[in-house]
Amino acid sequence: MPLSLTDPVSNIHGVGPKTEAILNKAGIKTVRDLLYYLPRTYENFTETTTLSEIKPGKVVIRGKISDLKTSHTRRRNLTITEGVIRDATDAIRVVWFNQPYRAKQFDETKEYYFIGNYDLNHGHYQLISPKAELAVDVDRKNAHNSSFRPVYPARGAFKSEGFHKIIESIRPDFASIPDLFPKEVMAKTSARAEALFKAHFAENDNDIRTAREYLAYEELFELILASKLNKQENQKLQAKTIPFFPDDIKLFVNSLKFKLTNAQRLATYEILKDLEKTTPMNRLLQGDVGSGKTVVAAISAYSAIRSGHQVALLAPTAILAAQHAESLAKLLEPFNIKVALLIGSTKQKTTLKNQIKSGEVNLIVGTHALLTDDTEFNSMALTIIDEQHRFGVDQRQKLLEKTVKSTGLAPHLLMMTATPIPRSLQLAVFGDLDVSVLNELPAGRQPVLTKIISELQFVETLYPTVSAYLAKKQQVYWICKIIEENGQSDAVSVKKQARKLEGIFRKARIAFIHGRMKSNEKDDIMKKFAAGKIDILVSTTVVEVGVNVPNANLMVIMDADDYGLAQLHQLRGRVGRGHDSAICYLVTNHDQPSRRLKELEKSNDGFYLAEADLKLRGPGEIYGSLQHGALNLQFASLSDSHLIAAASKSANAFAAICAKEPKTLNRYPELMQCIKQYQQLTTLN
Ligand code: ADP
Ligand code: MG
């Protein structure tokens, strides 16, 4: 009897209770889980290097080992085992750390394969901590099957070899892996069985490519189908209707110090129209940095509160929440609307929570701290989530539960993001969301002048510019990659940079901020910076999203090559938020600046940059948080546009069938299970 995908791993011959426990702990409960636990990479024993031709990097060597000895270092408490590997052409040194058994493992008369990194260690090239296997064993295996060896991610003490053995033992079962795709959209094929087989038993690069392509397609199909079905589900839910009173809205808009941009007007209109409906709104407000999303959120909140309801705004960090609370209070309090901030460090939480429960507070702004069990709403009708991709499924679920508890109805949902998604991907990736776009900056905003420079130009170019900005009483952000020196990165640290600047700009008030500080310390520094009491703020990327200090108009980003394009654009968006001209320096020590940096120098348009990014990046590099955090794609990359188009077509077709015949999906329990994880991503339901 072949194994079935839903069988527990203990059904596999040779998997005893001990192995089962380890696998379960790693989240591998069923045969399916195991089949989808894929190699991280592959080793190829046929590509050996002779020692006379060895170059630094990953190498496979065939040779004999001798002169083994082990020593201890007291300072770092390491055991070091060293030896010499020889082949017919030359000899090299080899070293292992904390693997004392290596000294006794080898027979000096026999040949071994060594796979590892040939790299500098204390100034000498050595083969560092290689894996080793007896050459005759490897050769015998290679004669039988492939010379490609999968390397599985280890799980604690359970190493790649362990996974390899189990998978090897179920090799015959691969042929009977059933299709995942419903027969309604795809004729029966053996595509999945083949892809998984090739992934685990790859014999060449082509196998790996075929496997990945199929798995990416499967993943995209699930993602897109999930979002389509979400939309169908969402349309069955009930929400409070919030009437649209144009005169009232006009009154509010006229109270603003500025004229709304056309994009803001249109987005607001789309939102207010949605709020009138009995089905919950599920809308994404996409606006480039500085495009003015906050005021759109404020008008939406105003409309809901004016009709007697509460609104919650959820922000990813305490800094952002505090800032939102402050700017929303400024806009809304003249209309007798009470805004409150609820974050981890909020004092007198009990009093505040009582006011939220009684309905005395109309707009609650907070971090996940507002999701604790003892926060109860009075009449929640609209939930706004800033930087939505930073929130997890659980947090959104909590928000939904709280709302339903207060009103018996689902909330309208407005999500905001400053990470533009290329139009070509929008429908596919967020197919269940309606999208409003702020593709226009407020009038009078000047683009941020962006310049790539090297540290050699600091004295001549950068420092005089900084002095000039300080003389104009303008403020400066100085972004560093790391908090302090750590021996793992040669990036400039926040602490070191701050000390250095203190020596250079002696009269300036300099402070630093980073994510490891306590949140009240961070708040304190941000407040001082916003109030103009700090001239130069040296910071990690904690200031990346949303921070709004219009008087800060100069930014220096150290080690700019270490960031993705989207992230650099976000960082740069912290300056040029007022009427003054702003400059952003991208510091690189490379002779040839990367394409990423050049694109940034060229453009200030987030939508253009998103497209450029899509063309430039390697799989999974950028949109990091979007791709990996929120969408959790393992195989597909958002740049696989042909795959996205194809997967989108089949997903649409199947969703349409499900709409007509709701029981269809029940016939595919595995698929149902797979799309569940995605289904909770983009909506609250
Ligand atoms: P983001 O979309 O990045 O969140 P904000 O909502 O923080 O942008 O707005 C950035 C700045 O622009 C704020 O200081 C805000 O008051 C201002 N602003 C917003 N809309 C307009 C407008 N229509 N005209 C002028 N300034 C505006
Ligand atoms: Mg914002």
Side-chain angles (χ1 to χ4, degrees):
M1 249 274 293
L3 290 163
S4 116
L5 292 182
T6 50
D7 282 355
V9 281
S10 55
N11 281 16
I12 298 171
H13 187 73
V15 175
K18 227 169 106 192
T19 311
E20 186 190 9
I22 295 170
L23 292 175
N24 284 351
K25 215 174 142 211
I28 304 170
K29 305 220 160 89
T30 63
V31 170
R32 181 188 200 279
D33 296 338
L34 185 66
L35 291 173
Y36 279 81
Y37 193 79
L38 295 166
R40 179 166 50 80
T41 175
Y42 302 82
E43 284 168 351
N44 184 352
F45 283 91
T46 52
E47 287 175 358
T48 53
T49 310
T50 53
L51 292 180
S52 59
E53 288 173 346
I54 193 165
K55 289 197 192 78
K58 195 166 183 209
V59 290
V60 183
I61 288 161
R62 186 184 167 128
K64 288 182 183 168
I65 187 165
S66 60
D67 304 289
L68 282 156
K69 56 173 185 292
T70 294
S71 57
H72 294 269
T73 64
R74 188 135 0 111
R75 206 160 59 85
R76 288 171 60 208
N77 198 20
L78 281 179
T79 61
I80 297 180
T81 308
E82 288 181 285
V84 176
I85 299 173
R86 288 192 174 78
D87 68 4
T89 65
D90 209 341
I92 57 163
R93 299 204 63 85
V94 57
V95 62
W96 285 278
F97 301 107
N98 281 343
Q99 302 180 21
Y101 63 92
R102 295 289 189 186
K104 300 203 182 69
Q105 179 191 1
F106 300 101
D107 180 338
E108 296 197 356
T109 65
K110 292 194 171 131
E111 278 194 311
Y112 293 84
Y113 280 99
F114 298 92
I115 296 190
N117 233 351
Y118 187 61
D119 206 348
L120 276 176
N121 179 38
H122 288 291
H124 300 284
Y125 277 103
Q126 295 185 318
L127 185 60
I128 298 173
S129 297
K131 293 214 297 191
E133 289 195 45
L134 206 52
V136 285
D137 288 352
V138 174
D139 292 343
R140 183 159 15 90
K141 276 188 216 159
N142 285 356
H144 287 289
N145 27 66
S146 103
S147 53
F148 262 59
R149 191 77 71 74
V151 181
Y152 295 90
R155 281 291 174 259
F158 202 69
K159 296 275 161 22
S160 174
E161 272 308 302
F163 285 104
H164 189 51
K165 251 196 207 133
I166 302 177
I167 291 284
E168 190 65 58
S169 77
I170 57 172
R171 188 191 265 263
D173 295 284
F174 274 74
S176 52
I177 296 175
D179 280 345
L180 176 83
F181 284 94
K183 64 177 186 328
E184 283 84 352
V185 293
M186 203 182 274
K188 201 172 153 34
T189 67
S190 53
R192 173 157 73 159
E194 254 166 55
L196 287 172
F197 186 85
K198 284 183 168 163
H200 289 286
F201 304 107
E203 296 193 356
N204 49 50
D205 292 329
N206 220 9
D207 285 351
I208 299 168
R209 212 169 311 125
T210 318
R212 285 211 159 257
E213 182 130 327
Y214 170 83
L215 291 167
Y217 184 75
E218 192 178 280
E219 192 169 63
L220 288 166
F221 174 77
E222 289 163 6
L223 171 70
I224 297 167
L225 180 59
S227 77
K228 297 283 163 200
L229 295 178
N230 264 354
K231 185 160 197 167
Q232 291 174 10
E233 285 301 309
N234 202 49
Q235 272 154 1
K236 290 183 204 150
L237 292 171
Q238 294 280 307
K240 281 226 156 52
T241 51
I242 297 168
F244 180 177
F245 293 109
D247 290 342
D248 268 28
I249 300 293
K250 250 184 221 139
L251 213 63
F252 182 81
V253 170
N254 289 338
S255 80
L256 297 170
K257 281 198 291 242
F258 44 74
K259 230 175 122 240
L260 291 182
T261 63
N262 284 329
Q264 282 171 323
R265 277 175 196 283
L266 180 60
T268 307
Y269 181 79
E270 288 169 338
I271 293 166
L272 296 178
K273 278 304 205 190
D274 276 0
L275 293 178
E276 282 193 308
K277 297 179 187 151
T278 52
T279 49
M281 169 170 77
N282 199 23
R283 187 171 283 278
L284 180 68
L285 177 61
Q286 258 194 72
D288 204 351
V289 284
S291 59
K293 293 181 288 293
T294 314
V295 68
V296 176
I299 300 170
S300 320
Y302 171 76
S303 182
I305 294 166
R306 194 217 149 280
S307 298
H309 304 297
Q310 281 175 312
V311 174
L313 188 149
L314 203 57
T317 65
I319 292 179
L320 267 187
Q323 186 184 290
H324 272 307
E326 202 185 311
S327 38
L328 290 169
K330 230 183 254 160
L331 295 168
L332 293 167
E333 276 174 359
F335 296 87
N336 219 0
I337 287 173
K338 186 156 182 201
V339 180
L341 174 67
L342 181 48
I343 55 180
S345 60
T346 300
K347 297 196 183 78
Q348 295 183 318
K349 281 203 186 76
T350 321
T351 318
L352 180 55
K353 284 178 180 177
N354 286 334
Q355 291 173 338
I356 293 171
K357 191 177 172 188
S358 72
E360 194 182 321
V361 168
N362 311 107
L363 172 58
I364 308 124
V365 181
T367 53
H368 54 268
L370 75 80
L371 300 175
T372 52
D373 289 335
D374 58 347
T375 325
E376 287 177 56
F377 299 140
N378 184 275
S379 169
M380 182 59 59
L382 168 66
T383 296
I384 303 169
I385 303 184
D386 195 18
E387 296 304 330
Q388 53 95 18
H389 60 272
R390 293 237 187 156
F391 286 93
V393 174
D394 297 350
Q395 289 159 325
R396 294 182 206 187
Q397 197 61 33
K398 274 245 165 69
L399 209 51
L400 172 73
E401 281 161 19
K402 283 186 188 304
T403 307
V404 173
K405 205 167 151 199
S406 82
T407 61
L409 297 171
H412 292 287
L413 180 61
L414 176 65
M415 295 178 265
M416 306 199 284
T417 178
T419 308
I421 301 156
R423 200 185 294 274
S424 51
L425 302 183
Q426 242 171 55
L427 258 181
V429 180
F430 291 121
D432 56 336
L433 299 182
D434 297 306
V435 178
S436 295
V437 178
L438 299 184
N439 52 5
E440 181 185 1
L441 293 182
R445 205 57 77 65
Q446 302 174 41
V448 179
L449 180 65
T450 305
K451 286 186 176 163
I452 302 173
I453 64 165
S454 86
E455 277 178 68
L456 298 175
Q457 296 163 277
F458 276 16
V459 173
E460 201 179 317
T461 314
L462 181 60
Y463 294 158
T465 315
V466 174
S467 298
Y469 271 76
L470 295 177
K472 284 194 283 184
K473 298 266 172 287
Q474 297 214 337
Q475 294 157 280
V476 180
Y477 289 105
W478 207 293
I479 309 296
C480 299
K481 181 81 189 173
I482 54 174
I483 300 170
E484 55 200 332
E485 267 60 45
N486 58 19
Q488 289 180 18
S489 157
D490 56 3
V492 179
S493 76
V494 164
K495 289 184 182 169
K496 194 167 159 192
Q497 187 64 46
R499 275 197 306 275
K500 190 169 166 196
L501 292 173
E502 275 161 9
I504 300 169
F505 303 102
R506 288 170 178 276
K507 286 198 200 119
R509 294 160 300 174
I510 297 171
F512 63 77
I513 185 169
H514 57 74
R516 253 192 268 141
M517 290 161 87
K518 293 208 183 74
S519 64
N520 53 355
E521 276 178 273
K522 281 189 285 193
D523 288 352
D524 198 44
I525 290 183
M526 274 327 291
K527 273 198 195 113
K528 277 194 185 147
F529 189 63
K533 290 180 184 154
I534 293 171
D535 301 311
I536 303 179
L537 183 62
V538 186
S539 168
T540 56
T541 53
V542 287
V543 298
E544 177 190 346
V545 276
V547 173
N548 189 31
V549 181
N551 192 50
N553 281 307
L554 180 62
M555 175 174 277
V556 181
I557 305 178
M558 303 297 286
D559 299 297
D561 293 287
D562 291 354
Y563 303 90
L565 186 49
Q567 202 178 10
L568 288 168
H569 180 59
Q570 283 294 316
L571 281 167
R572 175 174 62 178
R574 299 312 107 216
V575 294
R577 298 175 79 83
H579 291 290
D580 303 295
S581 63
I583 307 185
C584 175
Y585 285 103
L586 306 171
V587 182
T588 172
N589 295 318
H590 296 231
D591 297 340
Q592 280 296 324
S594 66
R595 285 281 302 281
R596 277 206 305 264
L597 301 192
K598 283 195 196 147
E599 290 287 3
L600 275 161
E601 216 175 22
K602 202 163 80 186
S603 173
N604 265 273
D605 177 348
F607 288 89
Y608 166 80
L609 290 171
E611 298 282 356
D613 191 24
L614 196 62
K615 290 190 198 117
L616 282 180
R617 82 189 127 114
E621 188 192 342
I622 298 186
Y623 283 103
S625 47
L626 178 67
Q627 172 136 352
H628 297 295
L631 300 178
N632 211 2
L633 295 175
Q634 213 187 330
F635 310 107
S637 144
L638 292 185
S639 57
D640 286 339
S641 48
H642 69 288
L643 273 187
I644 290 177
S648 188
K649 206 170 150 199
S650 354
N652 280 336
F654 190 61
I657 296 170
C658 293
K660 276 203 213 100
E661 195 58 66
K663 294 241 165 64
T664 317
L665 191 57
N666 295 346
R667 290 205 295 274
Y668 301 97
E670 187 194 354
L671 182 61
M672 215 154 105
Q673 193 67 33
C674 291
I675 63 178
K676 224 188 211 156
Q677 53 153 337
Y678 296 111
Q679 256 191 307
Q680 294 175 323
L681 283 175
T682 48
T683 85
L684 280 172
N685 313 303

